[in-house]
Amino acid sequence: MNAVATARAAYDCIVIGGGHNGLACAAYLARAGRSVLVLEAADRLGGAALTREFAPGFRVSAGAHLLHQMPARLIEELALEKHGLRWAAQSLPTAALAPDGAALLLSGSGPESIEGPVDREDTEGYARFMALMQRFAAVMNPMLEAVPPRLGTERWADRLSLMRLGWRIRRLGRRDMRELLRIAGMNVYDLLKEHFRSPLLQGALGFDAVLGTNFGPRAPGTVMTLLYRLAAQHGAGARALALPAGGLGAVADALAGAARAAGAEIRLTAPVARVTVAADRACGVTLQSGESIAARAVVSSADPQTSFLGLVGSEHLDTAFVRRVHHLRTRGLAAKLHLALDGLPKFSGLPAAAHGARLLIAPSLDYVEHAYNHSKYGAHSAAPALEITMPTLSDPGLAPTGKHVLSAIVQYAPYELTGGWAGQHEAFAQQLIDQLERHAPGLRSLVRERELLTPPDMEREFRISGGHWHHVDLALDQFYAVRPVPGATQHRTPLPGFYLCGAGCHPGGGVMGIAGRNAARQIIAGEPAQ
Amino acid sequence: MSDSAGTAPHYTRPLLPTPFHERARALSQVDSFVPWAGYTTVDVFTNAGQEYFAIRNACSVYDLTPMVKYRIAGPDAGRYLNRLVTRDLRKLRVNRVSYCVWCNDAGNIIDDGTVFRLGETEYRLCTAERQLDWLLDSAIGFDVQLSEVTEEIAALALQGPTSCAVLKKLGVTGIERLKPFEFSCFDATGMRLMISRTGFTGDLGYELWADPRQANQLWDALMTAGRSRGIRAIGSRALNMARIEAGFLMPNIDFVSAEGTVRVGTSRSPLELGLGWLVDFDKGHFTGRRALQEQMRQGLQRQLIGLDIAGNKPAANALLYADRKGQREIGSVTSAMWSPTCKRNIALAMVDAPHFAMGTTMWAEVYLSRELVWERRMCKAQVVDKPFFAPERRRVTPPGDF
């Protein structure tokens, strides 16, 4: 088998993993004229950006369920709309559900406006606050879309990159710059308490800061995670908070289309067992089937622990580097609930027209912080915070006529649950339905089927060690110039010919595709064409 | 050691006695003990000079129990060690010993030590410093078990020209067939001993590894067997003289462990320490390999070399200059002594490029105290080959009957 494999023409680059970042990377590489092979372990593409059936006739975006951070530039560069990407909804508004009484409606785009039970001070304050945050987001956005500099080098490119960031911050003007520096390392709880009085508004903004992180709103660094989210949305422009027609899987399909059109080859059900190393260089992969495929470079969209400790192996890496990878915080804290519904539930306090919005159950900062507290000690939240979408309202094709799909991100559900998930999975799903029933009386009777994905379930399905959608937790010490670890920033790794292009790289997860795009650029710069 | 520690709280006895402490204490005439890796050990029994001559002219016994020992076992033990150290250990056969160094990611030395291959999947690593953390971090991704076994093994170094004869007298049958860097297990006078032909003196010699409960018995038997061959217990000071002559490096004297340095530029790579012969770039990956290759490409900025210095005053800690006036500083001495055997004033020194080339002359700034009246002398020094003393007898098998 090996002899046959080595006789085959080698590829310029093998991309491990057919998630959105792997596909984006492959598309950019192929467009640059490189011969590319994408190897996907599953029998379908997309990784955690996929649409799949979870009940007969019902389909859902089983991983990420909203597209809110993919830069408009990437969509245009790869002509994803030409490759079939359509929009079921764009600029979704957000509705913060109240335990009793009216919901708060936050506009999805344009001038930041607010509707609902808040006083004038908060209404005006919200516009002011969001304008300030948008100015900061505009400073941060180029930082998210570019390859971060390495620290402590003598290279001019690195120095220049840091100087540009400094210059952008300086150009904010004295008042804004001071404010940015004051709040950058702060916790979002205190910041929101400074600005607003409405617990509902505070809860909604605070939840956005910790969505997909291992933090509660009182954790230092959560202002940064909020700015990160806003900065990414800034790049997405009007498409922030969009529902692609056909679910997130449509994004993966369009990316695959772009990659194939540029000449990339894609193989499904081809799990990689290890990266082949010879003469201190990655020179191909060996599949779990035993087949070997040679390539001049290998790029992995798998998480850093899987990539380094699993696929490359510590014997090809230095001790302290392995230690850093080993100690990455990669445990997911978000679960996913999917409900197949016989009819449309009615959320109390929410206008009928707003049911297609992004719904939040995070009625106050303390509610979110309490929800987080449990997870610190290995329990799931007694009253979790939820981000809910009902995609069938804008994309009816996902369910049989008249039926609906509800998809919710549930925080917090720790990867390592005391006693294990096996015995608590069922009860937690039941608890979530009870919680939804309180907000939408009658919902329980509409539930035809349900699916709950805990972080261990996501680890299995998406092959992400820890089941974290950012692969590596987004925190100041695992961010930007040190993400995922020193020695593997800028998509390069200590092993020549081996690159990273997944969410574990800067700028992280959230279906952006930037990591894939930037990795391709680094490979094109670092690996001369054949 | 739990016996000697007793039930008293540990902090009342910050230093542990070794299994040979009782015997050492009885022989100590000047009461000169020093701490070593958590144990109290003898620096000088009577007179360092006399003890030194036992190493070179007869036979010396040195308690090296405090040497830190790790047991490394498991299916991946060989692969693990090969990735840890810079040398190719794939070639190390069972019952053989290899002198190795290991580096951090930047290619700077953490420590040196010896690896004993005890079996197909079992090794012992002897090191100067404790570093279980580094060894455990290195084990991520390998199926190995690691444990420190320092307290489970009592060890004596028996070094000097008559050492083989003493072991024969002790009843260690077949000891004369043991080759350098080989070890074997022997039964002698009712004891089970592991004996390796290794040492830190650059001379004919052995290291004896025994059950701590038999420490006194071993000590007494050796002293009795060696009486007619000039056996003598020695302390660390005499050993340090012998190791400088042999050109061996002492951690924290000739280099500082890379994981222990805090200042930039104070760590040393094996290439800089003149241990390039221990670095095998062809054996596959090891920690620090890429950094060392880069250092090879860029060329060395400094190197540890041997110096022959004019006069007979040890140039301890002397600064080195390219010119006699002392205006262009180029390095410093790390270890220095008057070598009684070579009759030369020798030193190990770290010298900047390009002054480390063989034969280069330089000037050592030596300070002398004549009854507390200090004099500064610029002594001419020349880069010479190491080791300074390397008698043929250290290698000959069977060893001569001295």
Side-chain angles (χ1 to χ4, degrees), chain B residues 240-264:
Chain B
N240 190 48
M241 293 168 73
R243 74 93 193 165
I244 296 174
E245 288 179 336
F248 292 148
L249 306 184
M250 188 74 109
N252 297 321
I253 302 281
D254 298 300
F255 67 92
V256 179
S257 171
E259 290 293 277
T261 60
V262 290
R263 291 171 180 78
V264 176

Short mmCIF file of all heavy atoms in Angstrom, two decimals, chain B residues 240-264:
data_model
loop_
_atom_site.label_atom_id
_atom_site.label_comp_id
_atom_site.label_asym_id
_atom_site.label_seq_id
_atom_site.Cartn_x
_atom_site.Cartn_y
_atom_site.Cartn_z
N ASN B 240 36.59 16.96 43.14
CA ASN B 240 36.51 18.11 42.24
C ASN B 240 37.85 18.35 41.53
O ASN B 240 37.87 18.74 40.37
CB ASN B 240 36.08 19.35 43.02
CG ASN B 240 35.74 20.51 42.11
OD1 ASN B 240 35.00 20.34 41.13
ND2 ASN B 240 36.31 21.66 42.38
N MET B 241 38.95 18.08 42.23
CA MET B 241 40.27 18.24 41.59
C MET B 241 40.41 17.23 40.45
O MET B 241 40.83 17.57 39.33
CB MET B 241 41.38 18.02 42.62
CG MET B 241 41.42 19.11 43.69
SD MET B 241 42.49 18.67 45.08
CE MET B 241 44.12 18.86 44.33
N ALA B 242 40.02 16.00 40.74
CA ALA B 242 40.17 14.95 39.72
C ALA B 242 39.29 15.23 38.51
O ALA B 242 39.69 15.04 37.37
CB ALA B 242 39.83 13.59 40.33
N ARG B 243 38.10 15.76 38.76
CA ARG B 243 37.18 15.95 37.63
C ARG B 243 37.65 17.11 36.74
O ARG B 243 37.42 17.09 35.54
CB ARG B 243 35.74 16.11 38.11
CG ARG B 243 35.36 17.43 38.77
CD ARG B 243 34.78 18.43 37.81
NE ARG B 243 34.75 19.75 38.44
CZ ARG B 243 34.56 20.88 37.79
NH1 ARG B 243 34.41 20.88 36.50
NH2 ARG B 243 34.55 22.03 38.44
N ILE B 244 38.31 18.11 37.33
CA ILE B 244 38.83 19.20 36.48
C ILE B 244 39.93 18.64 35.57
O ILE B 244 39.96 18.91 34.37
CB ILE B 244 39.36 20.38 37.33
CG1 ILE B 244 38.22 21.01 38.13
CG2 ILE B 244 40.01 21.44 36.43
CD1 ILE B 244 38.66 22.10 39.11
N GLU B 245 40.80 17.81 36.14
CA GLU B 245 41.86 17.19 35.32
C GLU B 245 41.25 16.36 34.20
O GLU B 245 41.79 16.29 33.10
CB GLU B 245 42.74 16.29 36.19
CG GLU B 245 43.64 17.07 37.13
CD GLU B 245 44.48 16.14 38.00
OE1 GLU B 245 44.08 14.97 38.22
OE2 GLU B 245 45.54 16.58 38.46
N ALA B 246 40.13 15.74 34.52
CA ALA B 246 39.48 14.89 33.52
C ALA B 246 38.64 15.71 32.53
O ALA B 246 38.08 15.18 31.58
CB ALA B 246 38.60 13.84 34.21
N GLY B 247 38.51 17.00 32.80
CA GLY B 247 37.77 17.88 31.89
C GLY B 247 36.26 17.73 32.01
O GLY B 247 35.53 18.12 31.11
N PHE B 248 35.79 17.16 33.13
CA PHE B 248 34.33 16.99 33.31
C PHE B 248 33.71 18.27 33.85
O PHE B 248 34.34 18.99 34.63
CB PHE B 248 34.04 15.84 34.28
CG PHE B 248 34.41 14.49 33.75
CD1 PHE B 248 34.84 13.48 34.61
CD2 PHE B 248 34.34 14.21 32.39
CE1 PHE B 248 35.19 12.22 34.12
CE2 PHE B 248 34.68 12.95 31.89
CZ PHE B 248 35.11 11.96 32.77
N LEU B 249 32.47 18.51 33.44
CA LEU B 249 31.79 19.74 33.85
C LEU B 249 30.99 19.53 35.12
O LEU B 249 30.45 18.46 35.37
CB LEU B 249 30.85 20.20 32.73
CG LEU B 249 31.49 20.36 31.36
CD1 LEU B 249 30.48 20.91 30.38
CD2 LEU B 249 32.71 21.26 31.45
N MET B 250 30.92 20.59 35.91
CA MET B 250 30.13 20.54 37.14
C MET B 250 28.98 21.53 36.98
O MET B 250 29.22 22.72 36.75
CB MET B 250 31.02 20.94 38.31
CG MET B 250 30.39 20.75 39.65
SD MET B 250 30.32 19.01 40.11
CE MET B 250 31.53 18.99 41.41
N PRO B 251 27.72 21.03 37.11
CA PRO B 251 26.58 21.96 37.02
C PRO B 251 26.70 23.03 38.10
O PRO B 251 27.17 22.76 39.21
CB PRO B 251 25.37 21.06 37.28
CG PRO B 251 25.85 19.67 37.09
CD PRO B 251 27.31 19.66 37.37
N ASN B 252 26.30 24.21 37.76
CA ASN B 252 26.32 25.38 38.64
C ASN B 252 27.73 25.88 38.93
O ASN B 252 27.90 26.82 39.71
CB ASN B 252 25.55 25.14 39.95
CG ASN B 252 24.08 24.90 39.65
OD1 ASN B 252 23.52 25.55 38.77
ND2 ASN B 252 23.48 23.95 40.33
N ILE B 253 28.75 25.25 38.36
CA ILE B 253 30.12 25.77 38.43
C ILE B 253 30.53 26.16 37.00
O ILE B 253 30.89 27.29 36.73
CB ILE B 253 31.09 24.70 38.98
CG1 ILE B 253 30.66 24.24 40.37
CG2 ILE B 253 32.52 25.25 38.96
CD1 ILE B 253 31.01 25.15 41.50
N ASP B 254 30.41 25.18 36.10
CA ASP B 254 30.82 25.43 34.72
C ASP B 254 29.66 25.88 33.84
O ASP B 254 29.86 26.43 32.78
CB ASP B 254 31.47 24.17 34.14
CG ASP B 254 32.73 23.81 34.92
OD1 ASP B 254 33.65 24.64 34.95
OD2 ASP B 254 32.77 22.73 35.53
N PHE B 255 28.45 25.57 34.28
CA PHE B 255 27.27 26.08 33.59
C PHE B 255 26.12 26.07 34.59
O PHE B 255 26.19 25.37 35.60
CB PHE B 255 26.91 25.22 32.36
CG PHE B 255 26.45 23.82 32.69
CD1 PHE B 255 25.09 23.55 32.86
CD2 PHE B 255 27.37 22.78 32.84
CE1 PHE B 255 24.67 22.26 33.16
CE2 PHE B 255 26.93 21.49 33.13
CZ PHE B 255 25.59 21.23 33.30
N VAL B 256 25.10 26.86 34.29
CA VAL B 256 23.92 26.89 35.15
C VAL B 256 22.79 26.21 34.40
O VAL B 256 22.60 26.46 33.20
CB VAL B 256 23.53 28.34 35.51
CG1 VAL B 256 22.30 28.35 36.40
CG2 VAL B 256 24.69 29.03 36.21
N SER B 257 22.04 25.36 35.08
CA SER B 257 20.92 24.67 34.44
C SER B 257 20.00 25.68 33.76
O SER B 257 19.58 26.66 34.37
CB SER B 257 20.13 23.87 35.48
OG SER B 257 18.95 23.38 34.89
N ALA B 258 19.69 25.42 32.51
CA ALA B 258 18.92 26.39 31.71
C ALA B 258 17.57 26.69 32.33
O ALA B 258 17.03 27.78 32.16
CB ALA B 258 18.74 25.87 30.29
N GLU B 259 17.02 25.74 33.07
CA GLU B 259 15.71 25.99 33.69
C GLU B 259 15.88 26.80 34.98
O GLU B 259 14.89 27.17 35.60
CB GLU B 259 14.98 24.69 33.97
CG GLU B 259 14.50 23.98 32.71
CD GLU B 259 13.40 24.74 31.97
OE1 GLU B 259 12.24 24.62 32.35
OE2 GLU B 259 13.72 25.46 31.01
N GLY B 260 17.12 27.06 35.38
CA GLY B 260 17.35 27.80 36.61
C GLY B 260 17.89 29.21 36.38
O GLY B 260 18.03 29.97 37.32
N THR B 261 18.17 29.55 35.13
CA THR B 261 18.71 30.88 34.89
C THR B 261 17.58 31.89 34.77
O THR B 261 16.48 31.55 34.32
CB THR B 261 19.53 30.94 33.59
OG1 THR B 261 18.69 30.57 32.50
CG2 THR B 261 20.71 29.99 33.64
N VAL B 262 17.84 33.12 35.19
CA VAL B 262 16.84 34.17 35.02
C VAL B 262 17.34 35.28 34.10
O VAL B 262 16.56 36.02 33.55
CB VAL B 262 16.41 34.78 36.37
CG1 VAL B 262 15.60 33.80 37.16
CG2 VAL B 262 17.61 35.26 37.18
N ARG B 263 18.67 35.37 33.94
CA ARG B 263 19.22 36.44 33.10
C ARG B 263 19.35 35.96 31.66
O ARG B 263 19.64 34.79 31.41
CB ARG B 263 20.57 36.87 33.63
CG ARG B 263 20.47 37.60 34.95
CD ARG B 263 21.84 37.82 35.55
NE ARG B 263 21.74 38.53 36.82
CZ ARG B 263 21.38 37.95 37.96
NH1 ARG B 263 21.12 36.66 38.01
NH2 ARG B 263 21.28 38.66 39.07
N VAL B 264 19.16 36.90 30.75
CA VAL B 264 19.28 36.57 29.34
C VAL B 264 20.74 36.29 29.01
O VAL B 264 21.64 37.01 29.46
CB VAL B 264 18.77 37.74 28.47
CG1 VAL B 264 18.99 37.45 26.99
CG2 VAL B 264 17.29 37.98 28.75
#
